[in-house]
Amino acid sequence: MSARLVLPALFGLAMAVALAGLVLRFDWLCLPALLAGWYLADLLSGLIHLALDYHPCPAGKGLDEIFFYTGSRESADYLARRAACMARLNAFQRVVFDFKTHHPRPDALGRRSLGHQITPTLVLALPAALVLDIAVVWGTGPGWTIALGTSLLLGSAFAQHFHGSLHCPVVPAHIMLLRRVGLLMTPAAHQLHHDTLQRDFATNCGWSNPLVNRLFRFLRRRGMLDDAGLEPVG
Ligand SMILES: [Zn+2]
Ligand SMILES: [Zn+2]
């Protein structure tokens, strides 16, 4: 198995254990707990998105050159410049830069493979899933705690996949179904974020956007979240 598949495979296995535990200990409280976990995953997507949009990229790495590159992004020149820049960044800085480039070129995220979209998230989600499994196998907590954890972890792990699907002209049937029942937001609702970059940062179902928007306005009034952080500088 290639290294790229190891994380998703382990996460899938860990979630299968959690889901089995959920089935075995299911009671009526699991239903609101599943929705609460889904809300928390949406909230997490909004808070992380807000923080990374406004967190500045490191200066002096040449990131402005590739961000504002005017030639073809498929050219050898661009690809070489981009590879050189990325080699100068650590993993966190690369994720921060990805959030900036998503705004002028949102469709690129939608074109990425599922593995590419979710692997950075799985680095954190997998250890959390293993902790949940320990609670499932050796713990004696009520079923609703497993429901909350399972829903939160699934919503968090696939957050960038859900976000990417908002920029895809054609999406799979399961995404359409989740949108239809209100468990995922629509591209029109997400466009409100891209119109101003000052609202609606949550990208799963959008239920937490009223809360995240209040937090954004609170921080802006205190002089935080400077627009300068939205684009890399030289
Ligand atoms: Zn954004
Ligand atoms: Zn977007």
Side-chain angles (χ1 to χ4, degrees):
M1 184 183 292
S2 79
R4 186 174 286 197
L5 293 176
V6 169
L7 270 183
L10 288 176
F11 182 75
L13 211 56
M15 291 316 296
V17 172
L19 285 167
L22 176 58
V23 170
L24 291 173
R25 289 195 225 166
F26 197 86
D27 61 51
W28 71 271
L29 274 177
C30 290
L31 294 174
L34 284 168
L35 293 176
W38 202 244
Y39 175 92
L40 290 175
D42 185 63
L43 178 62
L44 213 52
S45 83
L47 295 177
I48 291 171
H49 187 169
L50 190 163
L52 297 187
D53 270 7
Y54 284 85
H55 183 81
C57 285
K61 306 270 187 186
L63 291 172
D64 57 325
E65 276 183 42
I66 56 171
F67 186 86
F68 296 107
Y69 192 82
T70 51
S72 166
R73 286 175 186 267
E74 318 231 310
S75 67
D77 176 57
Y78 172 77
L79 294 174
R81 283 170 189 259
R82 183 181 164 85
C85 281
M86 291 302 111
R88 292 193 278 271
L89 303 181
N90 62 36
F92 174 71
Q93 290 167 334
R94 267 181 232 142
V95 173
V96 169
F97 181 71
D98 265 355
F99 271 78
K100 319 291 182 211
T101 53
H102 172 65
H103 295 143
R105 288 172 290 284
D107 294 354
L109 178 62
R111 286 195 296 269
R112 288 183 179 172
S113 68
L114 174 64
H116 198 136
Q117 289 167 336
I118 67 171
T119 296
T121 322
L122 292 184
V123 172
L124 296 174
L126 178 59
L130 294 175
V131 170
L132 179 62
D133 282 354
I134 290 170
V136 167
V137 176
W138 286 285
T140 54
W144 69 264
T145 57
I146 303 171
L148 185 81
T150 302
S151 180
L152 170 59
L153 274 172
L154 285 175
S156 301
F158 288 92
Q160 278 301 74
H161 172 58
F162 298 148
H163 185 184
S165 74
L166 290 165
H167 298 290
C168 273
V170 180
V171 293
H174 68 276
I175 296 285
M176 286 305 295
L177 180 68
L178 289 169
R179 280 183 193 165
R180 207 162 289 149
V181 297
L183 289 171
L184 288 181
M185 69 195 307
T186 63
H190 180 51
Q191 186 57 39
L192 295 175
H193 171 69
H194 282 267
D195 287 345
T196 65
L197 307 184
Q198 295 189 0
R199 58 174 295 184
D200 293 21
F201 294 86
T203 51
N204 281 16
C205 53
W207 299 345
S208 70
N209 271 326
L211 177 62
V212 179
N213 289 344
R214 287 178 99 169
L215 175 67
F216 176 84
R217 290 193 295 270
F218 174 83
L219 295 174
R220 284 283 275 201
R221 278 199 301 274
R222 275 148 189 80
M224 300 165 78
L225 306 177
D226 194 320
D227 283 350
L230 289 169
E231 294 178 344
V233 292

